[in-house]
Amino acid sequence: EKRQKEIEKRKKAAEKERKRKLAEVKKQAAKAKYEAEKKKAEAEGKDPPPEPEEEKAEEPEEEENEEVEEEPAAMDEDPPKVTLTDEEKKIVFRKVPVPDMALFALNTSFTKFSVPEKDEGFDDIKYEWAKGGKAGEYLKKWVLDRKQTSRVEDIAPSNWFKTKWALWQRTLNAWSKKQSDYKAALAKKEADKRAKAAKKAAAEKMAAAKAAAEAAKKEKAKAEGKEEEAKEEAKEEAKAMEVEEPEEEEVVVDFEAVDIFGVKEVNDVGGGMPLFKDFLNEDWALVSLSYELQLLVHAFRKDCNDPERGGIVMEHLGFYYNKYYGKSLSAKSFGVENDAALLDLIKDAVFVNKDKALDTLLDEEMEYPQVFVKIEEEKKKEEEEEEKALCEPSQAMDLAAARKEQEM
């Protein structure tokens, strides 16, 4: 309502101004006409015309009395005072939603940031927010803190890493071949046993038939008086049948009793049996991941060459993994939801330390990385024992049979 009244008031003021200007124009026109007629009369020697009467100015219309709403009087109170916490008082720079630099540019250059020094050629240096020494300390702390959380964008795998990675791939392929050869040898041995058993059964059947024939022959010889001659022939034939192929002595290994970390060579714990004989694809995947991440921890420290960096934080694990191995690290492909759960699967090889960075207790210069096989086999053994403890005896037997069938 107040807005409507204001609009009406403005309209009336505009109309009034328009009438005033129109009256002014008419007055000027009448005056100009009088002056022209006066000059004309003077030129003709006539009396000048009478001056035009001025029109009475219109009396201003009385403005409507408008209701003026009284504004509430200002309260005589002091404005509220802003109070800052101790943490807020320590903030020197205002945080803005849009950064001053692109993240990549900042990560590749912030380690070179420094405060100006007079010996760099400056005539004078003035500090607005802190004196020289404190400014330098602040910047140094800022750089150090950022090193713990930022990515090393331009890091590149060194020759040391490439050599170790190539050695691991050759070793892993050799183990895989050994497992395949061992399973093939077992299958062949089982096939030979079945063939030998069939051959023995056939020989026994033939011997029984021959024995029956000999008995008949013996009876006939006895009837004909040639008993001694038949006995000699039977002895010769029996000797020929008794000759069998010698069986190879089989080395028996009690795999359940093997001391996993006491094994000298995982390729052969006895009788050509490898420690990893029962490994499935998921076991090999975890062995590979264990080695890859511990190698990544060591390679990062070497290639970064900055003792002030604590290591690889979980947030950047995927970035560095892709940088070094040229592939993505997917926790879900291992059956878990995130990287933290993934590390829990290989916690004996790689873990997160107190500084929230990846770490490992394994030696970076191991010549033969068979410890990763031992770690995985030990974990498999513990899991099997837990399963047996939870299952009834009959269920445990079914579980073992199912596992054996899966391995075949």
Side-chain angles (χ1 to χ4, degrees):
E1 186 180 352
K2 183 178 178 181
R3 180 176 176 81
Q4 187 65 28
K5 288 181 178 180
E6 184 68 25
I7 293 173
E8 291 296 331
K9 185 178 178 181
R10 288 179 183 176
K11 283 183 179 180
K12 289 179 179 179
E15 181 64 20
K16 185 178 179 180
E17 180 66 18
R18 186 184 70 79
K19 289 181 178 180
R20 187 189 67 78
K21 288 183 178 180
L22 182 60
E24 186 70 26
V25 170
K26 287 181 178 180
K27 184 178 178 181
Q28 290 178 358
K31 187 177 181 180
K33 182 179 179 183
Y34 168 74
E35 291 293 336
E37 289 176 351
K38 183 180 179 181
K39 287 182 180 179
K40 184 178 179 182
E42 288 177 354
E44 293 176 353
K46 295 180 180 180
D47 293 332
E51 292 185 13
E53 295 181 1
E54 291 186 7
E55 294 183 4
K56 294 182 179 180
E58 294 182 4
E59 294 182 2
E61 299 178 2
E62 294 184 1
E63 295 183 1
E64 296 180 1
N65 294 327
E66 297 181 358
E67 296 180 2
V68 179
E69 295 182 5
E70 294 184 359
E71 296 183 1
M75 299 178 67
D76 295 333
E77 294 182 4
D78 294 332
K81 293 183 179 180
V82 177
T83 56
L84 301 176
T85 64
D86 292 338
E87 290 298 321
E88 289 172 334
K89 289 177 181 178
K90 292 178 182 178
I91 298 175
V92 178
F93 298 103
R94 181 172 64 92
K95 293 183 179 180
V96 293
V98 180
D100 297 330
M101 295 178 65
L103 187 59
F104 180 87
L106 181 61
N107 286 345
T108 53
S109 59
F110 78 91
T111 56
K112 304 181 184 75
F113 290 178
S114 63
V115 294
E117 301 289 345
K118 280 193 173 183
D119 56 12
E120 294 181 82
F122 296 101
D123 295 331
D124 188 24
I125 300 173
K126 293 181 180 180
Y127 295 90
E128 293 293 334
W129 46 273
K131 300 303 178 184
K134 288 186 177 180
E137 291 174 6
Y138 180 92
L139 180 60
K140 185 177 180 181
K141 184 179 182 303
W142 180 85
V143 170
L144 183 60
D145 291 344
R146 186 157 191 85
K147 282 184 178 182
Q148 312 314 312
T149 58
S150 63
R151 300 191 318 201
V152 184
E153 303 282 356
D154 52 357
I155 196 170
S158 61
N159 288 331
W160 179 88
F161 166 81
K162 292 176 182 177
T163 301
K164 291 291 182 182
W165 176 233
L167 175 62
W168 167 252
Q169 290 177 304
R170 290 195 298 271
T171 303
L172 194 61
N173 289 336
W175 286 340
S176 180
K177 184 176 184 303
K178 174 65 179 179
Q179 185 187 38
S180 298
D181 292 347
Y182 177 74
K183 287 185 175 181
L186 282 184
K188 184 177 183 301
K189 190 178 287 186
E190 288 296 322
D192 290 346
K193 280 184 180 180
R194 289 194 294 269
K196 193 172 183 179
K199 185 177 179 182
K200 185 177 181 180
E204 287 175 351
K205 187 176 180 181
M206 186 182 294
K210 199 162 189 178
E214 283 298 325
K217 187 178 180 181
K218 189 175 180 182
E219 288 297 326
K220 185 179 178 182
K222 186 176 181 181
E224 295 177 355
K226 298 180 179 180
E227 187 176 356
E228 292 297 326
E229 184 178 341
K231 285 182 179 180
E232 289 298 325
E233 288 180 5
K235 285 181 181 179
E236 291 296 327
E237 289 177 1
K239 285 180 181 178
M241 290 184 65
E242 287 174 1
V243 177
E244 294 183 0
E245 296 180 8
E247 292 186 3
E248 293 182 9
E249 187 176 348
E250 186 175 343
V251 178
V252 179
V253 178
D254 184 3
F255 190 75
E256 295 297 323
V258 170
D259 179 9
I260 294 175
F261 286 96
V263 170
K264 292 183 178 179
E265 173 56 69
V266 295
N267 266 335
D268 188 356
V269 298
M273 178 188 295
L275 184 65
F276 45 81
K277 68 182 183 69
D278 297 326
F279 274 21
L280 305 177
N281 289 337
E282 52 264 37
D283 299 314
W284 286 119
L286 288 175
V287 169
S288 296
L289 182 65
S290 298
Y291 181 84
E292 288 171 355
L293 292 192
Q294 73 83 32
L295 179 61
L296 183 60
V297 169
H298 292 306
F300 176 82
R301 291 172 181 167
K302 285 179 173 289
D303 300 342
C304 182
N305 195 27
D306 186 350
E308 291 184 344
R309 288 191 182 266
I312 299 173
V313 294
M314 288 294 293
E315 181 185 354
H316 303 147
L317 175 57
F319 169 78
Y320 291 116
Y321 186 86
N322 181 269
K323 196 84 169 177
Y324 276 79
Y325 296 109
K327 55 184 178 180
S328 299
L329 180 62
S330 172
K332 291 187 177 180
S333 65
F334 290 86
V336 293
E337 290 298 320
N338 50 52
D339 290 345
L342 182 61
L343 286 185
D344 195 51
L345 297 176
I346 55 170
K347 57 188 175 185
D348 292 322
V350 180
F351 59 93
V352 177
N353 60 24
K354 60 182 179 62
D355 297 323
K356 298 181 180 180
L358 263 65
D359 207 346
T360 179
L361 297 177
L362 300 175
D363 186 11
E364 65 182 51
E365 293 296 345
M366 61 179 73
E367 295 182 4
Y368 187 37
Q370 62 178 351
V371 67
F372 297 97
V373 171
K374 294 180 179 180
I375 290 173
E376 184 61 23
E377 178 58 32
E378 180 71 16
K379 187 173 69 173
K380 279 172 62 67
K381 194 172 182 179
E382 289 175 358
E383 289 174 353
E384 288 175 358
E385 289 175 355
E386 289 175 4
E387 289 175 354
K388 288 179 181 178
L390 293 172
C391 296
E392 293 292 333
S394 59
Q395 292 176 322
M397 291 176 64
D398 293 340
L399 184 65
R403 188 182 293 277
K404 188 173 183 180
E405 184 179 348
Q406 184 183 8
E407 292 169 359
M408 295 296 290

